[in-house]
Amino acid sequence: MKNKPLIIILTLFLIAAAIFIVGRMGRSDLTEEIEMRLSSYDEKQAVQIAGEPLLSSEEIKAFYAERDFEEIWSENGKINSLAENFLEEIDHVKYDGLNPEDYNQILIQEFFEEIEGKRKILKPKSTPELVDLEFLMTDAFLRLSKDLEVGKVAPNSRGSYWKLAAKESKINSQDLLEEVADGLDIQKALASLYPEIEMYTKGREVIQSLYEKSQDDTLSWKPVSFEHSLKVGDTHASVPGLRDRLKFWGYLGAYEVKDPLLFDSTMWKGLKSYQLENGMNPDGAIGELTADFLNDSPEKLIEIASVNLERMRWIPEIKWEEELVLVNIANYQLDYMNNGDTTLSAKVIVGKEYNESPVFTAPMSYIVFSPYWNIPPSITHDEIIPSVRKNGDYLREKNMEVVSNSGEVLNPKQVNWTGKEGADFPYRIRQKPGGSNSLGLVKFMFPNDYNIYIHDTPARSLFARESRALSHGCIRIQYPDLFAEALLKDKKWTKERIQEAMHKEQEEVVKLDREIPVLLLYLTFWTDESGNAHFRPDIYHRDTELIKKLKAPLKTESKQRS
């Protein structure tokens, strides 16, 4: 019994030794090599493959240390099925509008070939190439998972127009990779990172179909333009090429053409369908806008779709299934959504190119019927003051008045208009309520830093235009009375009462009983519920710059993240 403590200590030692030996026996040659390789780098050194540092080096070191340096992408000296599946998924990121080469695709393929080539000569064993492949694929997964979740382009590179807060990551890439290593399907793992917007997954399908379509493309996409619109019965050297493009996109079937240069009635019918699908007036004439659209090859449409999928990845969490006012600036359309359904759609007029409407979100809290229009200082400086100097009755003719800072209405003839410009002008100009008011008969307020709101307009004829970038930045709505009725949702606010409130001599402010999110987006591509693709003109020329950033080497963007 005297030796009992010694026996207990010896037993514990033997158990610990056995556990250690079993643990070491479970470690493969590759595990040892991974640990040795990573330990050769100090804290500040990046993991390097073929002399190139990996951008996720710190995460790679932490990830493998956490899992005791066990490999993921190979087994018993052989590339495993997980690695093969991931290589296929890397190729498929082109359907997300991303570049597979940003995720080590070429190097990984080279190592696949080299490792498989050696297996034909040597017995399976640990090789430096397998370790290189291990780090390359892990680096690719960690970076790709971040880009799929929050976007490739860094927040400070998205353009001054993008005012939405940067989307916060909710996924730990290392934890997700550990789940993949434990058996989670890698395709499902990557799909879990997509934006929670159905049109994103449908957009991927559109890009995939465009890639497939491009494989059968034998057309020349040389741009065509016209001095005058082409109408049925006109002849032009570009008609045969345009006819082929309508056939290529499925808007024309094969038919007998008597005169290839003639814009005939069959082509006219196909063109009208094409215009309708692409948000144009289906007038059957080939004007500038229609010609521009017909100039877009599958490759160009892939680029357009790609930049918009990237924008979708930037959008922070939005409760799409709840009440929401969505304005797509590029589509000139407002949709009022409730419980996931669109209950009202209306055409809108947006900012001119030099008064671009930004992308942002803010809660709508009140409606103003029969509003005054408080004219911004910039318009006062650029338009009102010069007009008053030329015409002393200008303000009366425009139903405007001068107001002091205390709210007193002044006689414009007692105001010194000479030399009083812009910020130095000590008064406000406002337009009184009425049918000629530039805000129309009602405005919908969602206070924001950009002084933008939704309002009516007396210029109703402008909604018939195809291109409606015409305002100073605010959003003019086609059906303001129906929009007010939908928002108020109150039996007291009948159609008659709304009309009465819209035609008063004094404005009436009505506070909503809840705050309604308003989201202004800029999407030149999206899909509808059926998965149909919709493309729109890039009215603010924002796509081109984003295409360049998406195609830029990922290293550039990585430096901007840090």
Side-chain angles (χ1 to χ4, degrees), residues 170 226 248 405 456 509:
K170 293 184 177 180
F226 309 97
F248 179 79
N405 290 330
D456 180 25
V509 178

Side-chain angles (χ1 to χ4, degrees), residues 424-470:
D424 296 327
F425 190 71
Y427 311 115
R428 288 185 295 115
I429 306 292
R430 71 182 183 186
Q431 192 173 34
K432 292 183 283 186
S436 63
N437 188 293
S438 293
L439 301 184
L441 304 175
V442 59
K443 64 179 181 179
F444 306 87
M445 303 302 293
F446 44 104
N448 55 79
D449 295 335
Y450 319 109
N451 197 30
I452 287 176
Y453 42 90
I454 299 169
H455 65 84
D456 180 25
T457 175
R460 310 299 301 170
S461 61
L462 295 179
F463 289 108
R465 293 193 183 185
E466 209 164 43
S467 299
R468 297 191 294 276
L470 304 167

Side-chain angles (χ1 to χ4, degrees), residues 1 17 31 51 58 226 253 298 328 395 409 451 455 469 501:
M1 295 297 296
T31 301
E58 294 306 311
F226 309 97
N328 184 359
L395 295 183
V409 178
N451 197 30
H455 65 84

Side-chain angles (χ1 to χ4, degrees), residues 49 79 83-84 86-92 94 99-117 129 132-134 136-137 140:
I49 304 296
I79 296 171
E84 292 171 348
F86 184 40
L87 180 57
E88 185 177 359
E89 291 304 315
I90 290 175
D91 184 62
H92 289 175
K94 62 190 178 189
N99 184 358
E101 293 181 15
D102 284 336
Y103 308 99
N104 308 330
Q105 183 191 47
I106 294 176
L107 267 178
I108 290 172
Q109 287 176 332
E110 290 177 356
F111 276 110
F112 262 62
E113 293 170 5
E114 185 174 357
I115 292 166
E116 290 302 312
E129 289 83 3
D132 288 339
L133 180 67
E134 189 75 23
L136 279 171
M137 299 199 83

Side-chain angles (χ1 to χ4, degrees), residues 471-513:
S471 78
H472 286 92
C474 285
I475 309 300
R476 305 177 195 171
I477 185 171
Q478 182 184 21
Y479 305 125
D481 51 345
L482 298 180
F483 189 41
E485 185 180 349
L487 296 176
L488 288 169
K489 289 183 179 177
D490 190 330
K491 293 181 180 179
K492 296 178 182 178
W493 282 99
T494 62
K495 293 181 180 180
E496 292 74 21
R497 185 179 175 186
I498 288 173
Q499 287 298 324
E500 180 184 345
M502 289 170 65
H503 292 86
K504 290 185 175 181
E505 293 184 359
Q506 295 293 323
E507 67 179 21
E508 179 180 358
V509 178
V510 178
K511 185 174 173 54
L512 295 172
D513 61 1

Side-chain angles (χ1 to χ4, degrees), residues 60-171:
I60 289 172
K61 293 175 185 177
F63 175 75
Y64 282 101
E66 181 68 24
R67 59 182 282 108
D68 199 25
F69 306 100
E70 183 181 356
E71 66 269 28
I72 297 176
W73 310 106
S74 63
E75 188 175 352
N76 297 325
K78 300 178 183 179
I79 296 171
N80 60 22
S81 59
L82 177 59
E84 292 171 348
N85 292 340
F86 184 40
L87 180 57
E88 185 177 359
E89 291 304 315
I90 290 175
D91 184 62
H92 289 175
V93 301
K94 62 190 178 189
Y95 306 141
D96 295 277
L98 298 171
N99 184 358
E101 293 181 15
D102 284 336
Y103 308 99
N104 308 330
Q105 183 191 47
I106 294 176
L107 267 178
I108 290 172
Q109 287 176 332
E110 290 177 356
F111 276 110
F112 262 62
E113 293 170 5
E114 185 174 357
I115 292 166
E116 290 302 312
K118 286 190 174 182
R119 281 190 61 236
K120 294 177 181 179
I121 303 172
L122 306 172
K123 294 180 179 180
K125 64 177 184 178
S126 168
T127 66
E129 289 83 3
L130 280 172
V131 177
D132 288 339
L133 180 67
E134 189 75 23
F135 295 159
L136 279 171
M137 299 199 83
T138 297
D139 173 72
F141 183 93
L142 295 175
R143 289 191 290 107
L144 175 58
S145 60
K146 292 177 183 177
D147 291 349
L148 285 176
E149 187 187 12
V150 299
K152 173 189 172 182
V153 179
N156 60 355
S157 297
R158 292 174 181 175
S160 59
Y161 72 91
W162 192 269
K163 306 295 185 181
L164 291 176
K167 182 179 179 181
E168 294 185 7
S169 173
K170 293 184 177 180
I171 303 294

